[in-house]
Amino acid sequence: MAEVIRLDIGVEASGDGHRMALKGPATLADASALAAQLAALPAKEPLTIDLSGLDRMDTAAAYAILSAEARSKEAGGRLELTGASSDISALIERVRKSLPKPEQETAPRLSIADRLERVGRTTTSALASFLDSIGYFGLFLARLVESIVIPSRFRLTALVHHCQEVGVKAVPIVALMSFLIGVVLAFQGSVQLRQFGAEVFVVDLIAISILRELGILLTAIIVAGRTASAFTAAIGSMKMREEIDAMRTLAIDPAAALFVPRILALLLMLPILGLIADVAGLLGGAIMSWVELGISPGMFQTRLLEGTDVRHVMVGLVKAPVFAIIIGVIGCQFGMKVESNAESLGRMTSSAVVAAIFAVIVADAIFSIFFAQIGV
Amino acid sequence: MAEPIIRCRGIVNQFGSQVVHDHLDLDVYPGEILGVVGGSGTGKSVLLRTIAGLNRPKSGTVEVLGTDILHASEDAAMQVQRRWGVMFQDGALFSALTVRENVEVPLRAVPGLSPKLRRELADLKISMSGLPYFAGDKYPSELSGGMRKRAGLARALALDPDIVFLDEPTAGLDPIGAADFDQLIASLRETMGLTVFLVTHDLDTLHAICTRIAVLAEKRVYVTGTMAEMLKVDHPWIRAYFHGPRARAAIDAAERIGN
């Protein structure tokens, strides 16, 4: 490889100041060295820079020389450039013309009032987002009723497609998750209940916790992760590419075309998924009870039918439509919030998942209090 | 004429059964602004990507600054790569970084460059590309399309390259912004001694700043020459392109400015 020719910087004292002779190519590679040499010279004293030995100069070197010139001017010194070829002086002039002029930044300091204001703004924007989702829910209901009154507006193909995406394709993951939860409950329950010799009550433990709470809640959480993000991503990317605007100009209502089939599909599928989760959870619990505690499947069945009322199943599944609406509405709402850039699509997709899971858990807590109060 | 700075010989590019370039030859000389034109699908961008090393042709050689970039060692190819900059159509700025940080990215590879000087040089390049100072603190998503293009140019120019590749530099700009951008490229070429390889559809750009035009047709560089020479070529597409109503308007406008 050819030897790299570097810049040669020669400094000597002349008169009451200095004289700097530059030879070779003055480029970015040597800009730091050049800037350091220039900074080392006292800015007040006159300095002559001889550029006649240069065969090439780039903007970085020109910048280093010009910033030394500015420093010397400020200190009342004198900096002179001699022997520049026409190309080099043109470059220096060009760089001089476009030297950045930093604007004085007024550093924003946060006073207590500013911080309070920020808290207030965050709170109101959260409330506004909540009210906004109620608005989307209303829009969904209105369009749903409209499509019942005028059945030709109803998009059956889209509904079936989304049922497939939201429901059928989620069955394996939901069933597996719930099966494992049943296993975990049986195992943990058996360890605790064995101390009291009350192993058989593990059946009640599994049945009540899966049927009332865990089956549907964990299904809703998985679906929120899977589906709310898919809704936001699909609607958001349509929003990003102005497809939603195109729909409006073609007199297609985005709510009817996009929201109704998606939310309705969730509404139909989530109870079914919840039921599948219940069955898979009980199955997991039964197998673990058999292995760990020797409770035979027959005994498990008898105990289950005796000890667990069917209302527990109802208490669990009645929550499913509410969760479905929450997940669907949040998924669509966040999709519509996407702006025209890819970052906001990513941000909204993850916010939709967080918001949907949070809202599902809040709703579940409200349900628990409600059922406790009415005593079911 | 001087030695070419880019020399392409026998380039063949093929995607599936579709042949885009069939033994294409092209020379680019130092200090010129070469405008590459051609109909949609004639492989203008593919040619740019091939020369810039982003696309490996099926056969042929690409020599840039005397190095055969397709067969050179990784080190040698890297050395040459530092001496060119590419501006992509929409800037292709890194979205997680501010404009200044984007311009600093290539500068970080320079050994011994202090962070302070690096930052100042980035500011200089931003300003040379015609962006206001405050644009350096903005993220690409906060800029308009024209500003993103300028920021992309600032990043391409960060290392003071010998060659810049511009992919449709004026596409999507309003006529005033496009004319400004043309002038910017011309003035940067003059003062920084750049060689510019640009792909364009903009007849005004071809007129205003290109010193030579290369037309892609029939899977190769059909003809190269100045605007005046293009007007004399007898080929249906080239006639239609350079004698169409838009071309006439561009020529008239150029003449009015010339007078």
Side-chain angles (χ1 to χ4, degrees):
Chain A
M1 204 173 141
E3 198 185 327
V4 184
I5 304 160
R6 299 293 289 258
L7 174 68
D8 176 65
I9 308 172
V11 185
E12 57 187 38
S14 81
D16 51 354
H18 290 88
R19 183 180 171 79
M20 179 184 272
L22 301 178
K23 284 197 186 65
T27 60
L28 183 58
D30 301 298
S32 271
L34 179 60
Q37 286 267 357
L38 286 166
L41 295 172
K44 272 188 197 151
E45 291 168 17
L47 171 67
T48 311
I49 303 179
D50 181 4
L51 304 173
S52 59
L54 286 181
D55 49 21
R56 209 154 72 83
M57 182 189 248
D58 72 0
T59 54
Y63 179 79
I65 290 174
L66 286 173
S67 37
E69 190 186 65
R71 257 200 320 278
S72 131
K73 197 183 263 175
E74 205 173 298
R78 205 175 70 248
L79 192 147
E80 212 177 312
L81 302 175
T82 61
S85 67
S86 60
D87 281 357
I88 287 178
S89 48
L91 177 76
I92 292 178
E93 280 321 301
R94 165 82 210 199
V95 173
R96 195 199 300 278
K97 220 169 59 194
S98 44
L99 277 183
K101 294 172 194 65
E103 288 133 39
Q104 276 305 319
E105 293 162 44
T106 46
R109 286 202 45 196
L110 287 182
S111 68
I112 291 176
D114 289 337
R115 284 168 204 272
L116 262 179
E117 184 188 318
R118 194 178 282 182
V119 172
R121 280 187 194 284
T122 316
T123 314
T124 50
S125 78
L127 284 176
S129 174
F130 174 66
L131 290 177
D132 201 29
S133 12
I134 292 177
Y136 274 92
F137 176 52
L139 189 62
F140 162 68
L141 285 184
R143 294 292 179 269
L144 184 64
V145 170
E146 217 168 81
S147 61
I148 291 168
V149 176
I150 314 168
S152 63
R153 288 207 187 158
F154 189 70
R155 289 156 200 271
L156 186 65
T157 320
L159 177 70
V160 173
H161 167 77
H162 289 298
C163 284
Q164 158 103 12
E165 287 297 315
V166 167
V168 180
K169 290 192 176 170
V171 167
I173 181 74
V174 164
L176 178 65
M177 177 267 323
S178 187
F179 179 86
L180 292 175
I181 292 293
V183 168
V184 170
L185 276 179
F187 186 71
Q188 293 294 339
S190 69
V191 172
Q192 299 302 322
L193 292 172
R194 192 179 279 151
Q195 297 174 16
F196 310 105
E199 288 99 323
V200 78
F201 285 105
V202 83
V203 180
D204 300 68
L205 173 79
I206 293 167
I208 290 175
S209 52
I210 294 246
L211 296 180
R212 276 187 86 109
E213 285 291 336
L214 292 179
I216 190 61
L217 181 64
L218 290 172
T219 304
I221 288 175
I222 291 227
V223 169
R226 252 186 117 249
T227 307
S229 59
F231 284 4
T232 304
I235 294 175
S237 63
M238 293 180 82
K239 180 98 191 302
M240 210 168 82
R241 289 191 303 241
E242 298 184 321
E243 286 175 48
I244 306 251
D245 294 337
M247 281 182 161
R248 288 204 175 106
T249 61
L250 297 171
I252 302 170
D253 181 48
L258 302 174
F259 303 170
V260 170
R262 284 186 167 81
I263 301 177
L264 197 58
L266 254 183
L267 200 55
L268 295 175
M269 288 296 125
L270 198 62
I272 299 175
L273 288 173
L275 193 63
I276 291 172
D278 286 351
V279 173
L282 290 179
L283 190 68
I287 288 175
M288 198 62 194
S289 311
W290 194 17
V291 172
E292 187 67 20
L293 297 169
I295 300 174
S296 71
M299 199 152 93
F300 191 93
Q301 188 192 2
T302 316
R303 182 72 214 161
L304 182 69
L305 293 177
E306 262 174 24
T308 320
D309 199 281
V310 77
R311 75 189 149 87
H312 294 306
V313 183
M314 288 304 147
V315 164
L317 289 183
V318 81
K319 299 187 243 182
V322 177
F323 292 169
I325 297 275
I326 289 174
I327 295 167
V329 166
I330 288 181
C332 294
Q333 180 198 358
F334 278 64
M336 292 299 281
K337 279 204 223 168
V338 170
E339 292 151 32
S340 58
N341 54 67
E343 297 88 79
S344 82
L345 180 61
R347 207 172 50 239
M348 280 304 152
T349 308
S350 65
S351 313
V353 174
V354 174
I357 292 178
F358 176 73
V360 161
I361 291 174
V362 169
D364 191 55
I366 294 171
F367 268 119
S368 288
I369 297 167
F370 175 72
F371 288 134
Q373 289 295 322
I374 66 168
V376 281
Chain B
M1 212 181 260
E3 268 296 284
I5 193 166
I6 299 173
R7 190 202 300 264
C8 302
R9 288 290 175 268
I11 302 279
V12 177
N13 270 309
Q14 191 173 354
F15 298 106
S17 63
Q18 188 201 356
V19 179
V20 181
H21 298 140
D22 187 13
H23 293 92
L24 175 149
D25 298 341
L26 178 68
D27 286 333
V28 183
Y29 297 96
E32 71 176 349
I33 300 185
L34 178 75
V36 177
V37 297
S40 297
T42 50
K44 302 182 295 292
S45 293
V46 175
L47 179 61
L48 185 149
R49 292 172 59 83
T50 304
I51 299 173
L54 299 169
N55 174 52
R56 217 180 159 79
K58 218 171 155 227
S59 71
T61 58
V62 179
E63 231 176 75
V64 182
L65 295 154
T67 310
D68 180 353
I69 52 163
L70 296 174
H71 304 101
S73 68
E74 215 167 289
D75 263 4
M78 199 73 151
Q79 287 298 323
V80 183
Q81 251 173 46
R82 292 231 173 109
R83 294 177 59 187
W84 77 56
V86 185
M87 190 198 93
F88 294 92
Q89 234 188 75
D90 195 35
L93 300 164
F94 305 122
S95 53
L97 305 177
T98 63
V99 169
R100 183 181 296 111
E101 288 165 345
N102 262 289
V103 181
E104 281 184 58
V105 168
L107 291 168
R108 282 173 194 277
V110 178
L113 190 65
S114 70
K116 181 172 169 287
L117 187 59
R118 186 173 72 216
R119 195 189 141 96
E120 289 170 354
L121 287 176
D123 278 337
L124 175 68
K125 289 286 153 43
I126 290 168
S127 152
M128 283 180 85
S129 309
L131 286 172
Y133 184 77
F134 67 80
D137 291 321
K138 296 245 191 264
Y139 285 92
S141 59
E142 299 171 310
L143 299 179
S144 67
M147 288 171 99
R148 274 206 295 277
K149 276 183 195 287
R150 284 174 189 270
L153 183 65
R155 190 177 67 184
L157 293 176
L159 294 175
D160 276 76
D162 295 316
I163 309 168
V164 280
F165 296 98
L166 308 175
D167 194 359
E168 306 242 1
T170 53
L173 298 185
D174 65 83
I176 301 169
D180 282 352
F181 208 91
D182 286 346
Q183 289 317 310
L184 175 68
I185 293 167
S187 82
L188 288 174
R189 176 197 72 127
E190 207 155 288
T191 46
M192 292 172 72
L194 295 171
T195 304
V196 182
F197 179 104
L198 65 87
V199 168
T200 190
H201 268 309
D202 188 336
L203 285 151
D204 290 312
T205 305
L206 290 175
H207 263 288
I209 60 169
C210 290
T211 50
R212 212 156 59 94
I213 297 167
V215 181
L216 291 189
E218 297 173 16
K219 297 174 184 174
R220 59 199 172 90
V221 176
Y222 189 81
V223 64
T224 64
T226 61
M227 196 71 192
E229 286 163 357
M230 287 302 128
L231 294 172
K232 294 178 198 140
V233 178
D234 193 25
H235 178 275
W237 189 85
I238 298 173
R239 275 194 72 79
Y241 190 90
F242 288 101
H243 291 270
R246 282 163 170 260
R248 291 255 57 104
I251 293 168
D252 289 349
E255 275 167 5
R256 267 204 305 282
I257 294 165
N259 294 340

